[in-house]
Amino acid sequence: MGRAGLLLRLAWRNLWRNARRTVILLLAVTLGVAAMVFAAAFSRGMVVAMVDDAIDHLPGHVQIHAPGYRDDPAAEHRFPYPQGRLRAVLDGPLVAAWAARVRVPVVVASEYDTAGVTLLGVEPRREAALAYLGRASVDGRPLADANDAGLLIGRRLAERLDTVRGRRVVITAQGADGALADRGFRVVGLFRSPWSSEEKGIALTGLATAQRLLRLPGEVNEVAVRAADPERLEALVAALRAAAPELEVADWRTLSPLTHAGQQLYSQFTWVWYLVVFLGMAFGLVNTLLMAVLERTREFGLFLALGMRPRWILGQVWFEALLVLVLGLAAGNGLALALARALGEVDVSAFAAGAELAGLAQRIPLIIHGGDLALANGLVLALGLAAALYPAWRAARLAPVRALRRN
Amino acid sequence: MDALVTLRAVTKTYRQGEVDVPALRGVDLDIAAGEFVCLSGPSGSGKTTLLNLIGGLDTPSGGHIQVAGRDLARLSPGERAELRLRHIGFVFQAYNLIPVLSAQENVELVMELQGVGAAERHARARAILAEVGLAGLEGRRPAALSGGQQQRVAVARAIVSAPDLVLADEPTANLDSENGRRLLEIMRRLNGERGVTFVISTHDPEVMAFARRLIRLHDGRIQADERRDGPP
């Protein structure tokens, strides 16, 4: 230990010469660090929930379309049901689940009203593993298989059409050949969704039924894919593009730029929050250390007279900052972890409309991520020690004879 | 004998507002190793300034100072601190001790800075504290010691690492006569037995009576430099 041990001992004892001041400073650092870690956990939870929600409703991390479909989502922009190399990738280790769908804009009419909606022709078994709508709570019966001729619509759409389960509606669309196609469907179930846009604007039927209606035998408009490892999204996209070079493969960041922008915005918000909290903390730390240096000026003069080098004086004050920061970090992390564990998640359903508008989930999980912890702790420690350099430098550059004269 | 301390044409002028106040006006002085020197003179005569300059705590306005063969003007603040650490012990009039360290830790402080091992430090500190009559008080912090006991701890700290030179500024000023005499006895013994050089500034006639060399300062100049065979 040697001189470092001496400086550490002096720093520790000097801290407790004014215990009240030190406790107040420690509390400030503790609360600041806890606020940083908690905010990071909330922010990460918000981003994860937002992205998960988007993936669940988009749906999928990646979608495959025929060229032109994303600009004009019409039945004519179609491609064969996955097979060959594309099917091999979809059934491979990079993919957790996938579903092929017919997806076109249609008009749905009841006896009382009409509405423009999106018709999804789905394979219910595949859809359940991929998307929220495949698992949504249904008043009535869910779709049984790809040949199911029943229609599932959202609760709010049913209200708008003034129809109920068991009644018939007519769907009119433009088929793949450009001719109008229409057909009567019985509403077999009403689904619920936290996204009102889904409840108002989606109707589901069996894939084969939709193919027959739109004259798309063996063809689909969309393949939605859930990645086995979202961290390896680039590899999945590359594999899909290689397997189906004639199709357009896009990940969720392209398909939902608002969600991606939100993800980045919340990450930046975390940085701004870190900065605000840190500035408050650093102000308290530097002020307290400057006061301690001023109070002990004569003592520093004595140290210099006894042969302590200026850089060891600097070290002494710096160690005081280090001890406060380390103790504050330990307590702050403990407090934030305990709080996050106790709460688990934050319920923002009271602000459901605003949350949906902002693309947020209604329950935000508090996610303590090792990287966030390391960043918050590293930032406080590094910047805190940098801020402490000024009072330490002030102490180190004291002229011994002037310092000794100070009472 | 080579001089331990050499001053040549040393001047020191302080600036107080718009006015220059000369504290030393050209001092030439040689102090040999093993001397017991008293600096006397009225307040403002330059005693403390001279001690501070010899100890490298302050820099002269003019002239040259050599201590232990080193020209102080050529040393950085860090090197001057190192010189004090290895060669010079200080005893001040008051506020001599570090309040957060015990008597023993205060005595060990200089040795710890010098890098002396813990076992040797402890043994030497306990022995020197016993020598100055403070056995049993090693664990007490300065606030729990009397003024006389604090000064003896300061003397113990100044001499424990066997420096070449001890600079003491009015060491008995805050002590009663009994404690003052006791402190002087310790210094004289160290000077006689260990050959430690003492330079003491004082107003106290008892301290002056102990000196083998008495230098009288007046208005920043050496007015008299008197050598004696030995204390009475």
Side-chain angles (χ1 to χ4, degrees):
Chain A
M1 287 286 277
R3 287 174 196 130
L6 169 68
L7 298 185
L8 199 58
R9 195 165 73 238
L10 284 167
W12 176 253
R13 292 187 190 173
N14 279 320
L15 271 185
W16 300 108
R17 280 167 86 164
N18 191 331
R20 191 173 146 195
R21 190 167 64 197
T22 300
V23 166
I24 290 172
L25 181 61
L26 269 175
L27 268 176
V29 175
T30 298
L31 291 177
V33 170
M36 286 168 92
V37 173
F38 191 82
F42 183 77
S43 182
R44 181 164 288 274
M46 205 153 61
V47 167
V48 166
M50 183 172 70
V51 172
D52 281 354
D53 218 33
I55 301 304
D56 219 25
H57 292 271
L58 197 61
H61 294 99
V62 179
Q63 289 185 354
I64 305 169
H65 300 104
Y69 176 85
R70 276 166 47 208
D71 292 331
D72 175 21
E76 67 185 87
H77 296 123
R78 79 271 196 193
F79 57 96
Y81 189 89
Q83 49 201 298
R85 286 174 62 200
L86 178 57
R87 180 65 180 258
V89 175
L90 292 172
D91 289 338
L94 291 172
V95 174
W98 65 273
R101 325 159 108 201
V102 164
R103 181 181 187 133
V104 289
V106 299
V107 173
V108 57
S110 68
E111 312 91 299
Y112 303 107
D113 211 340
T114 59
V117 301
T118 298
L119 176 69
L120 291 180
V122 298
E123 298 174 285
R125 187 179 53 81
R126 286 195 177 279
E127 208 69 26
L130 181 85
Y132 173 81
L133 286 180
R135 307 183 298 275
S137 148
V138 173
D139 173 17
R141 72 163 177 83
L143 296 176
D145 53 39
N147 286 304
D148 197 318
L151 192 72
L152 278 184
I153 61 173
R155 195 174 42 89
R156 294 193 194 197
L157 179 59
E159 282 170 11
R160 178 174 170 188
L161 295 173
D162 200 8
T163 191
V164 293
R165 181 162 54 89
R167 302 286 286 272
R168 291 182 69 84
V169 293
V170 175
I171 283 185
T172 307
Q174 186 172 298
D177 54 5
L180 274 182
D182 56 31
R183 174 186 166 152
F185 283 84
R186 185 172 302 282
V187 176
V188 296
L190 307 178
F191 67 80
R192 289 174 179 273
S193 169
W195 284 26
S196 61
S197 57
E198 281 186 336
E199 273 198 14
K200 287 178 188 165
I202 300 277
L204 297 103
T205 188
L207 176 64
T209 305
Q211 285 171 331
R212 280 194 293 276
L213 170 68
L214 299 162
R215 292 181 280 283
L216 287 168
E219 292 179 312
V220 295
N221 301 111
E222 177 176 282
V223 172
V225 183
R226 186 178 279 274
D229 179 3
E231 301 293 321
R232 297 187 61 204
L233 204 53
E234 307 300 334
L236 173 60
V237 169
L240 290 170
R241 282 183 179 148
E246 73 284 7
L247 298 178
E248 286 182 349
V249 178
D251 66 26
W252 67 270
R253 291 169 295 197
T254 307
L255 295 166
S256 181
L258 195 65
T259 306
H260 188 216
Q263 183 192 34
Q264 292 183 320
L265 180 73
Y266 288 122
S267 302
Q268 283 159 5
F269 161 78
T270 305
W271 275 99
V272 172
W273 177 245
Y274 278 3
L275 195 67
V276 168
V277 174
F278 175 77
L279 282 177
M281 239 176 357
F283 186 73
L285 181 72
V286 171
N287 250 337
T288 305
L289 285 175
L290 276 175
M291 200 174 290
V293 165
L294 192 70
E295 286 170 359
R296 295 190 344 244
T297 298
R298 195 178 195 286
E299 211 170 295
F300 289 126
L302 183 57
F303 277 122
L304 290 165
L306 294 176
M308 187 176 268
R309 280 175 170 254
R311 66 168 182 264
W312 300 342
I313 301 274
L314 187 139
Q316 196 184 137
V317 178
W318 216 45
F319 269 131
E320 286 178 40
L322 179 70
L323 287 170
V324 167
L325 289 169
V326 167
L327 288 175
L329 281 169
N333 283 316
L335 181 63
L337 290 173
L339 205 58
R341 183 163 292 183
L343 292 175
E345 60 182 20
V346 177
D347 186 354
V348 293
S349 57
F351 313 101
E356 185 181 340
L357 202 64
L360 297 179
Q362 294 188 9
R363 302 185 78 82
I364 309 290
L366 294 168
I367 299 176
I368 303 280
H369 186 264
D372 293 341
L373 268 185
L375 183 68
N377 283 270
L379 200 70
V380 169
L381 199 59
L383 294 183
L385 288 177
L389 270 178
Y390 175 62
W393 173 77
R394 287 266 307 248
R397 67 187 284 271
L398 286 167
V401 74
R402 283 193 194 144
L404 283 165
R405 275 196 211 120
R406 190 79 66 88
N407 284 316
Chain B
M1 190 186 295
D2 284 343
L4 179 63
V5 178
T6 303
L7 288 87
R8 291 288 174 267
V10 171
T11 61
K12 179 68 186 178
T13 303
Y14 293 109
R15 183 111 185 136
Q16 287 184 342
E18 302 273 307
V19 184
D20 285 339
V21 180
L24 291 178
R25 302 166 188 256
V27 171
D28 293 300
L29 179 64
D30 291 297
I31 297 172
E35 285 199 89
F36 196 109
V37 181
C38 265
L39 302 175
S40 71
S43 291
S45 60
K47 303 185 296 295
T48 299
T49 300
L50 190 57
L51 283 183
N52 287 339
L53 291 176
I54 294 171
L57 298 179
D58 204 354
T59 50
S61 307
H64 294 282
I65 303 172
Q66 270 200 355
V67 176
R70 311 286 302 274
D71 183 349
L72 297 189
R74 294 178 183 276
L75 303 182
S76 67
E79 289 168 331
R80 283 201 293 274
E82 186 70 19
L83 179 79
R84 289 193 289 274
L85 181 63
R86 304 287 167 191
H87 298 281
I88 304 174
F90 272 100
V91 181
F92 298 101
Q93 187 175 334
Y95 309 111
N96 257 318
L97 303 178
I98 305 300
V100 294
L101 298 179
S102 68
Q104 176 155 340
E105 287 170 328
N106 262 288
V107 174
E108 287 185 29
L109 179 63
V110 171
M111 290 188 284
E112 211 164 346
L113 291 173
Q114 288 174 338
V116 177
E120 186 184 344
R121 263 190 349 246
H122 298 334
R124 280 165 64 179
R126 293 182 83 83
I128 203 85
L129 282 170
E131 203 172 325
V132 298
L134 294 175
L137 302 180
E138 295 90 345
R140 287 201 190 173
R141 290 207 178 168
L145 296 171
S146 70
Q149 288 168 333
Q150 287 187 35
Q151 277 304 63
R152 278 184 276 158
V153 175
V155 170
R157 183 186 58 202
I159 60 171
V160 70
S161 57
D164 301 320
L165 174 65
V166 172
L167 301 172
D169 189 8
E170 309 253 11
T172 59
N174 288 330
L175 302 180
D176 58 38
S177 57
E178 189 188 329
N179 272 315
R181 174 166 285 277
R182 209 165 163 180
L183 195 66
L184 285 170
E185 287 292 349
I186 293 165
M187 291 185 182
R188 190 176 67 171
R189 186 152 43 84
L190 289 166
N191 176 250
E193 292 173 5
R194 298 193 185 189
V196 176
T197 307
F198 280 87
V199 180
I200 303 171
S201 85
T202 188
H203 284 109
D204 187 343
E206 267 199 78
V207 181
M208 291 182 219
F210 266 82
R212 280 180 291 175
R213 185 178 175 189
L214 183 61
I215 297 172
R216 181 171 293 279
L217 288 166
H218 188 75
D219 283 345
R221 291 194 179 89
I222 293 178
Q223 191 179 49
D225 188 349
E226 177 191 343
R227 290 173 191 272
R228 301 168 183 167
D229 288 339

